[in-house]
Amino acid sequence: MRLCRRLWLSPLLWGGMAFAAVFAMQAQAQAQPPVRVGSKADNEGAVLGQIVLQVLRHAGIPVVDRTQLGPTSVVRRALLNGDLDVYPEYTGNAAFFFHRESDPAFRDAAQAWALAASMDAAANQLVWLRPAPADNHWAIGVRADLARTQRLRTLDDFSRWVRAGGDVYLAGSAEFVESDAALPAFQSAYGFTLRGDQLLVLAGGDTSATIKAAAEGTSGVNASMVYSTDGALAVTGLVVLDDPKHVEMVYQPAAVVRDATLRRYPTMRTSLEAAFRPLTVEVLRRLNARTQIDGEQASAVAADYLRTQGLL
C-alpha cells in the first residue's frame, strides 16, 4: 500500500512565504536600473511628463524624475545619448528629426505615427508607443466677436478677410512668424500676406501671452498664434481656425522609450498607452488650463487625471 503524505503548512508560514515572495519581487525591481523620465519644459510637457512618471511609479517601476528638462532639442538629445529612458514627444516632430517635412504621411495621424515609429526603431532603437488622440499643432486663433462678425471659421475665411483689407493684428513669437512650418506655410497655402505692421512679435514662444493679448485686445491685437491644445483657449473663448488644407503636420503626443528599457520593463507599454488613450484635445486643454491659468502644479493635475481614469 502506497502511503501519500500531504504537506501541511500553517497559515502563519504561508503568510511568511507570501511576504518573502513580494519582498523578492520588490528587491528584483529595485535591483534593475531606474527609468529616467524626461519631458519638455513647457506647460503641456510638464503635465505629460508627470503622467508618465506617476504611471510607472504606480506600476512599481523605479523612476528618476527629470521632467521639464528643456526644449525639444535638449530632451531628444538626452534620449539619443542614453541620459533619458522615456519622454513624451509629438509624432510630427519625427518629420524634422528625419528631414521628411514634405512627406504627406505626416499629415495623416495613423501614417505619421507608423512612419515615426519605424524610422526611430531602425535608426535609434527607440519605440513610439501608441499616441494620444489629441493633435497639438500650430494654428491661428481670433477673438470670438471678430469670428462672428467676419464669419471666420477656417483659414480660407481668414485669407479672404486679410485680402479684403481686414484690420488684422496678429500676435506671435519670432519662431511662429519666421518658421517655414508656421505662418509662412499658412500664407503660402491660403494666399494671404501679413505686413510687418500687422504683426506683434513677442519674445519667447509662450502662447499664453499671445492668446491673452488677443483675448484682451492689447494694443489692438485681435488674432494670435496658438497651439490647438492650449489651456488658455478653454477660458478665453478664442476661436481656433480650421486648417482644411492640412498645412500643419499631425502632432499627437506619445511616449517614446528606449528599446532596452521597454524590454527590461515590458509592462510599461500597456500602462502608458492606457494613460494616453483618453487624452483628447478637449481633455488636454482642460489639464493645461489648470497649470497655465490656475497655476496648479503639474504633478497634482496629472494625479487628478490618472485617478479620474482609474489608473492610480
Side-chain angles (χ1 to χ4, degrees):
M1 180 178 178
R2 179 176 297 174
L3 296 177
C4 295
R5 297 182 60 190
R6 177 173 294 176
L7 180 63
W8 181 85
L9 296 175
S10 71
L12 184 61
L13 185 54
W14 273 117
M17 291 176 65
F19 177 80
V22 172
F23 180 80
M25 291 173 61
Q26 291 177 339
Q28 183 179 11
Q30 291 172 357
Q32 295 276 18
V35 175
R36 297 158 298 176
V37 180
S39 80
K40 303 181 189 189
D42 57 85
N43 284 282
E44 184 166 296
V47 172
L48 292 174
Q50 281 295 320
I51 288 173
V52 172
L53 184 79
Q54 294 182 35
V55 163
L56 297 184
R57 185 180 287 147
H58 182 70
I61 296 173
V63 292
V64 174
D65 186 351
R66 293 186 179 168
T67 56
Q68 295 186 271
L69 185 62
T72 299
S73 58
V74 170
V75 186
R76 171 75 176 179
R77 186 165 57 249
L79 188 69
L80 292 176
N81 291 346
D83 298 320
L84 287 179
D85 296 299
V86 60
Y87 84 96
E89 185 52 272
Y90 297 89
T91 51
N93 279 338
F96 295 97
F97 299 155
F98 293 96
H99 309 292
R100 299 280 288 270
E101 296 93 332
S102 61
D103 194 322
F106 283 103
R107 272 78 184 170
D108 176 86
Q111 292 183 54
W113 172 75
L115 187 54
S118 64
M119 290 191 298
D120 240 355
N124 301 307
Q125 292 76 56
L126 298 178
V127 180
W128 286 68
L129 304 186
R130 291 274 178 184
D135 178 5
N136 185 12
H137 55 77
W138 257 329
I140 292 176
V142 297
R143 289 172 56 95
D145 56 343
L146 183 64
R148 185 172 56 255
T149 59
Q150 299 297 328
R151 304 188 308 280
L152 303 178
R153 295 188 302 105
T154 72
L155 286 170
D156 277 317
D157 299 331
F158 185 77
S159 175
R160 166 186 49 79
W161 180 54
V162 173
R163 287 183 285 108
D167 186 25
V168 59
Y169 193 25
L170 183 145
S173 67
E175 183 181 10
F176 178 78
V177 170
E178 298 169 4
S179 171
D180 290 340
L183 181 60
F186 288 141
Q187 294 185 138
S188 176
Y190 290 97
F192 69 92
T193 300
L194 294 178
R195 305 183 309 271
D197 61 357
Q198 292 178 296
L199 296 168
L200 175 63
V201 182
L202 303 179
D206 186 358
T207 51
S208 62
T210 65
I211 291 171
K212 185 174 186 289
E216 296 180 356
T218 305
S219 301
V221 170
N222 53 18
S224 165
M225 79 166 193
V226 303
Y227 288 111
S228 53
T229 61
D230 271 322
L233 294 172
V235 296
T236 59
L238 242 60
V239 174
V240 179
L241 301 176
D242 290 336
D243 174 18
K245 295 183 180 179
H246 301 288
V247 171
E248 283 294 295
M249 291 181 288
V250 176
Y251 289 88
Q252 292 180 303
V256 182
V257 57
R258 295 176 63 82
D259 180 67
T261 304
L262 189 59
R263 284 188 278 108
R264 192 162 64 243
Y265 299 108
T267 58
M268 286 176 62
R269 181 189 296 273
T270 302
S271 299
L272 290 176
E273 289 183 347
F276 274 62
R277 195 175 299 123
L279 291 172
T280 62
V281 166
E282 292 76 16
V283 170
L284 266 180
R285 281 183 186 173
R286 290 198 298 270
L287 298 181
N288 289 335
R290 291 179 59 180
T291 58
Q292 282 183 306
I293 308 302
D294 301 334
E296 294 185 58
Q297 292 295 315
S299 57
V301 173
D304 283 349
Y305 162 74
L306 292 171
R307 279 193 291 267
T308 300
Q309 299 299 324
L311 298 171
L312 278 190

